[in-house]
Amino acid sequence: MSERELSHTVQSNMWFTPVLYVLFSVLLVTATLTTDLKYDLGNQMRPFFAVDYDLTRNLVGTLTAATLTLTTFTFNLILVVFTTFSGQFSPRMLKNFIASKSTQRVLGIFTSSFIYMLLSFLFLNKRMAEYYFAVPLVAAIIAAFAMGTFIFFINHAVAWLQVNQMTYDMKNEALSIVKNTLEDEVDPYKVNDLTTVNSDICEESGYTIAAKKSGFIQLVDFISIMKEAERDDIVIRLEYTIGSYVYASTPFLSYWKRGENKIDEQKYLSMIKIGRRQTEVQDIEFSINKLVEVAIRSLGNNDPKTATNSIYQLGEVLTSISRCSVFSKYLVDKENNLRVVLQERDFSHYLYNAFGYIRHYAKDNVLVCTEILKVLDLMAKSLNKRDYNAVWEFGVLTASGLENHFLFALDYQQFHRALQNLSVTTKHEKEYEEFLFKSKQA
């Protein structure tokens, strides 16, 4: 398991952080019980502060039940949040709430508080100590801290349910994947000048490597594949992209040998992880689809503001992809020798995946389509100029077929003003005039 995969697995599970807190609570209860039972600190502190055995037992017993109640109520609140998110937005967003450090720390605090109270209550011994100091004092402090944590968690859940915060977190997640996957792992090996790459070998008949099991392609260790391909002097082509579903025995890798050396195919299979579900570790499109689902669900729930917010967040992600990515499917080594061939992905592909479904479900909603055009114009002001044509073509497709959906003259003005602004930004003023002429003729 790679470091990134391990980090993602830890963050997406609810048990890891609580287990760490429970281990700390075990150490803490060991320290307090040793202080009171072995060193008889309670009897030494009697002139200042000490609690007898009966009061300590009642206090710890009461706090044990109280912390268990708080923990149960917290889990119930989490389930309510899960139900709300699944029904109104997307079930794929639940992992974001679970992976939140605040959520995991709150569960850890409540669980460790209960374990501390329970173990303290279990090991209290009247024959070994008549008076206690450390156990009741630490129990009272932990109980007060748990109560404050409960108030914090309610505020955290309410704040996380706010649409702006939710879409902002998902946007940051997508931007992180763009940086880690495209900029740091793949782009350093991509080549801009395709004329310098000898890709004729890929036209010949090569060898294929089949998948050993069915599932989604979750992770591809591009750096290791590049190193091993250079060592074996071969060219590898990935027949599917990250996030694609493959069946067992499906040929999903092809390779061409430059020599007669023997290739360990299992080595390359181990560098590609196939699992039962899609993950956000390297899958940019899956992360984008979360925001798309929020926008589509919002349109179905007659909530255009949430849909608009998601559209603007998607625009920022696409802008980052355009500015930072090298859209080439060829990866070369330091000697400029072709080593890996990817499935071709250009900016139009990401643009369609982000706004294509939204445009489909909002085809009768002129206001939302106008917002899409405004976002496209805003994006175009920061995009790489090579992507101007893709943005303009998508804008024209969005504008097509809406002539019969303008209820008011203001709808028509706002829509065409947004399209005109897009044409000016992308240097397609002439094409806009032609589109406007055809619309009037129709």
Side-chain angles (χ1 to χ4, degrees):
M1 184 178 292
S2 65
E3 183 178 349
R4 287 179 59 189
E5 184 183 2
L6 178 61
S7 176
H8 179 266
T9 302
V10 169
Q11 290 180 0
S12 59
N13 284 279
M14 298 181 65
W15 56 265
F16 183 75
T17 301
V19 166
L20 294 180
Y21 277 78
V22 167
L23 293 177
F24 176 76
S25 70
V26 171
L27 296 177
L28 184 61
V29 74
T30 302
T32 54
L33 286 172
T34 301
T35 302
D36 278 339
L37 296 179
K38 184 176 181 179
Y39 298 103
D40 197 17
L41 184 62
N43 196 41
Q44 299 178 25
M45 297 294 295
R46 285 183 60 188
F48 301 98
F49 172 80
V51 181
D52 60 26
Y53 169 80
D54 293 330
L55 182 56
T56 301
R57 186 174 181 83
N58 291 335
L59 175 65
V60 176
T62 303
L63 293 180
T64 301
T67 53
L68 180 60
T69 303
L70 277 178
T71 305
T72 304
F73 192 83
T74 303
F75 275 102
N76 182 63
L77 184 59
I78 291 177
L79 292 177
V80 171
V81 173
F82 284 178
T83 304
T84 302
F85 271 59
S86 298
Q88 293 187 1
F89 300 108
S90 169
R92 274 162 285 279
M93 295 169 52
L94 302 182
K95 186 181 295 183
N96 293 65
F97 185 77
I98 294 175
S100 171
K101 292 182 179 180
S102 298
T103 302
Q104 295 189 357
R105 287 171 180 171
V106 167
L107 293 178
I109 290 172
F110 286 144
T111 306
S112 60
S113 298
F114 172 72
I115 294 298
Y116 176 86
M117 304 298 179
L118 183 65
L119 293 179
S120 298
F121 185 76
L122 179 64
F123 289 104
L124 287 176
N125 194 318
K126 187 175 184 179
R127 290 178 297 178
M128 296 185 65
E130 182 67 26
Y131 294 93
Y132 291 85
F133 174 77
V135 171
L137 179 62
V138 174
I141 294 175
I142 289 177
F145 184 67
M147 180 58 68
T149 303
F150 179 71
I151 297 173
F152 165 80
F153 182 69
I154 294 177
N155 180 73
H156 165 68
V158 172
W160 212 90
L161 280 172
Q162 295 177 1
V163 176
N164 292 340
Q165 181 64 37
M166 178 179 57
T167 55
Y168 178 79
D169 291 339
M170 289 190 293
K171 177 201 69 177
N172 287 337
E173 177 189 70
L175 291 175
S176 175
I177 298 174
V178 170
K179 175 173 173 49
N180 293 331
T181 302
L182 292 182
E183 295 183 41
D184 297 343
E185 293 186 9
V186 181
D187 285 354
Y189 299 101
K190 287 185 177 180
V191 59
N192 287 314
D193 187 6
L194 301 182
T195 59
T196 62
V197 178
N198 183 14
S199 59
D200 295 338
I201 190 174
C202 299
E203 304 298 329
E204 304 174 2
S205 177
Y207 302 87
T208 59
I209 304 177
K212 297 299 183 182
K213 62 179 181 179
S214 302
F216 292 97
I217 300 178
Q218 297 177 338
L219 290 170
V220 177
D221 191 349
F222 293 102
I223 298 177
S224 297
I225 289 178
M226 286 290 300
K227 292 180 180 179
E228 294 301 324
E230 184 177 2
R231 183 178 294 111
D232 294 336
D233 195 20
I234 63 174
V235 178
I236 296 180
R237 182 173 67 197
L238 277 66
E239 304 294 345
Y240 299 90
T241 61
I242 299 173
S244 300
Y245 192 90
V246 296
Y247 295 114
S249 72
T250 298
F252 76 123
L253 282 180
S254 300
Y255 69 93
W256 293 264
K257 297 191 297 183
R258 300 184 187 274
E260 298 299 327
N261 52 322
K262 186 176 181 180
I263 305 301
D264 183 7
E265 296 182 351
Q266 185 61 38
K267 173 178 61 176
Y268 292 98
L269 283 176
S270 64
M271 299 175 188
I272 301 177
K273 178 178 173 62
I274 298 177
R276 293 176 297 176
R277 56 184 175 82
Q278 289 181 276
T279 62
E280 305 91 337
V281 180
Q282 286 183 318
D283 195 346
I284 301 173
E285 295 177 34
F286 181 65
S287 186
I288 289 175
N289 285 338
K290 288 184 179 181
L291 284 166
V292 173
E293 287 189 37
V294 172
I296 293 175
R297 289 286 187 94
S298 301
L299 291 173
N301 294 330
N302 298 318
D303 185 6
K305 289 296 182 182
T306 300
T308 301
N309 183 276
S310 301
I311 292 171
Y312 275 92
Q313 303 293 351
L314 283 169
E316 186 172 350
V317 176
L318 292 174
T319 301
S320 176
I321 293 175
S322 174
R323 296 179 62 183
C324 303
S325 301
V326 179
F327 294 113
S328 172
K329 64 178 182 179
Y330 299 110
L331 306 185
V332 297
D333 57 19
K334 296 179 180 179
E335 304 298 328
N336 205 39
N337 295 317
L338 179 62
R339 292 305 176 193
V340 178
V341 181
L342 308 175
Q343 291 296 303
E344 190 167 2
R345 290 289 185 267
D346 56 9
F347 184 74
S348 298
H349 173 82
Y350 294 106
L351 182 62
Y352 178 80
N353 275 278
F355 291 142
Y357 290 102
I358 300 176
R359 182 185 62 188
H360 173 76
Y361 285 95
K363 59 184 177 181
D364 297 333
N365 194 324
V366 178
L367 299 179
V368 174
C369 289
T370 302
E371 291 297 330
I372 292 178
L373 292 180
K374 290 181 179 179
V375 172
L376 292 176
D377 179 50
L378 185 62
M379 288 168 47
K381 290 179 169 60
S382 302
L383 290 178
N384 190 311
K385 293 182 179 181
R386 67 161 186 265
D387 300 321
Y388 278 178
N389 289 335
V391 174
W392 168 248
E393 291 174 2
F394 190 88
V396 171
L397 292 175
T398 303
S400 302
L402 286 173
E403 288 78 8
N404 299 325
H405 297 285
F406 296 113
L407 299 179
F408 305 101
L410 189 59
D411 291 340
Y412 181 87
Q413 294 174 5
Q414 293 291 333
F415 185 85
H416 281 277
R417 183 180 301 167
L419 185 60
Q420 183 182 18
N421 293 337
L422 178 61
S423 69
V424 173
T425 305
T426 58
K427 307 296 188 298
H428 286 83
E429 296 92 334
K430 182 179 179 181
E431 288 80 355
Y432 170 72
E433 295 297 335
E434 294 175 355
F435 173 82
L436 196 61
F437 177 76
K438 292 179 181 179
S439 298
K440 291 179 179 180
Q441 290 294 324

